Amino acid sequence: MNKKKMKKLMGSCLLLLSLMLISTFSVSAATKNPTKVNLRIGSSRQNVYKSYDVTGDSKVDQFNIALGLNGKIDKKDSNGYYNNIFISINDKTYIMKSATYFYGAKASLYTLANGKPYLYIDAITDNDYHAVCGLFNYDKSKKKMVTAVNFTTLFNGYAARCSGDIVKISGNTIKVRYGLMCYSLGGCTITYNYTYKNGKLLRTSYYGTLVNISKGQHLTKLLTAKRTLTAYKAPGTTQKAFTIKKGAPVKIMQVWRKGNSMYIKLMYGGSYGWIKAATANTSQQFSDVMYVG
């Protein structure tokens, strides 16, 4: 083989090798997350993840979640409490500040069918209160982590405290189970669905499904009216459906939450109606609910 042909062959081999290397690099750089990954929260030097996409560009990121105090990472006060969560992604650190001190946190990475990743972070403090609880995502336009859904605020005005857990991911929809200390129902759990639309996670309905109510050591949907209650034909209307007598048994079915209003659907004597949910300034509606904290 002459030198000219040899050079041509060597050039072809080098080109093929280069293409193979580029292809290999592209495959290793791209990633597809599992639907759920439980994350460990440690110090700034521990639990650094290098196999998942948290910014939503389908590429592997290096990230870590740590706790801190007053802007100082890996610090806590003399009682073991924190007030900051540090999320470090690709050598940039974002600080989530909490007005409430907490003693620990848990985190997971959830990814929708469309590849959009969300960090779930739940920071727990005394008496089962949650200083931080919600879903967070990286906003490319703002170049920082932002709150996608704050689970602590949905029932503001109608509950002393509130948190949320992810119970199911289906396509681009997330099912959230809220746990709250409701002024009407006491300790209870309610589910809502959120779906990805136009770049945001949005609640799919004003109607939430009641899972159960804590009644002492039992879970139930049956309560007893502590006073006379007026039920309406639909949430947000003034059309009266019926009156519930003091001491009468009712079955709680559903809740409706929109804007500053909350209504509760119940069954009384075979009929269905909606009552206005109690606020902190409203007298107790049911005699057998359990309030804690």
Side-chain angles (χ1 to χ4, degrees), residues 221-238:
K221 292 183 180 180
L222 303 176
L223 295 176
T224 304
K226 187 174 182 179
R227 57 183 173 86
T228 300
L229 300 170
T230 299
Y232 300 90
K233 291 185 177 181
T237 68
T238 56

Side-chain angles (χ1 to χ4, degrees), residues 13 22 70 153 164 199 214 229 242 260 268 278:
C13 290
I22 292 171
N70 298 331
T153 60
S214 298
L229 300 170
F242 49 80
N260 294 322
Y268 169 64

Side-chain angles (χ1 to χ4, degrees), residues 12-155:
S12 299
C13 290
L14 289 171
L15 177 61
L16 180 61
L17 180 61
S18 299
L19 290 172
M20 289 175 65
L21 288 172
I22 292 171
S23 175
T24 302
F25 176 78
S26 298
V27 171
S28 63
T31 187
K32 183 177 180 180
N33 294 342
T35 302
K36 178 183 179 182
V37 180
N38 289 324
L39 304 174
R40 295 183 299 274
I41 296 179
S43 72
S44 57
R45 296 172 298 279
Q46 295 176 323
N47 306 322
V48 178
Y49 293 91
K50 302 177 181 180
S51 303
Y52 307 111
D53 168 31
V54 293
T55 57
D57 59 2
S58 299
K59 295 181 181 179
V60 171
D61 296 303
Q62 179 171 304
F63 71 98
N64 158 272
I65 303 174
L67 306 180
L69 179 72
N70 298 331
K72 297 180 180 179
I73 199 166
D74 301 332
K75 300 294 182 181
K76 55 186 175 182
D77 68 13
S78 58
N79 294 313
Y81 287 85
Y82 308 92
N83 64 1
N84 294 156
I85 298 172
F86 293 80
I87 304 174
S88 299
I89 304 174
N90 302 330
D91 298 324
K92 291 185 178 180
T93 300
Y94 310 93
I95 305 176
M96 295 169 54
K97 299 179 180 180
S98 171
T100 304
Y101 288 82
F102 54 90
Y103 56 78
K106 60 181 180 180
S108 298
L109 174 64
Y110 289 94
T111 304
L112 305 181
N114 61 11
K116 299 298 181 182
Y118 291 90
L119 285 175
Y120 169 78
I121 299 177
D122 184 13
I124 307 162
T125 187
D126 300 317
N127 299 318
D128 200 32
Y129 278 78
H130 296 254
V132 176
C133 186
L135 289 169
F136 306 88
N137 68 291
Y138 182 80
D139 189 308
K140 295 178 183 179
S141 63
K142 297 180 180 179
K143 296 183 179 181
K144 66 177 184 179
M145 294 298 295
V146 298
T147 302
V149 184
N150 185 348
F151 295 152
T152 67
T153 60
L154 178 59
F155 294 95

Side-chain angles (χ1 to χ4, degrees), residues 243-259:
T243 299
I244 303 167
K245 295 181 180 180
K246 179 181 178 180
V250 299
K251 184 177 182 179
I252 309 299
M253 309 296 294
Q254 200 176 29
V255 301
W256 181 89
R257 184 77 170 101
K258 180 182 179 182

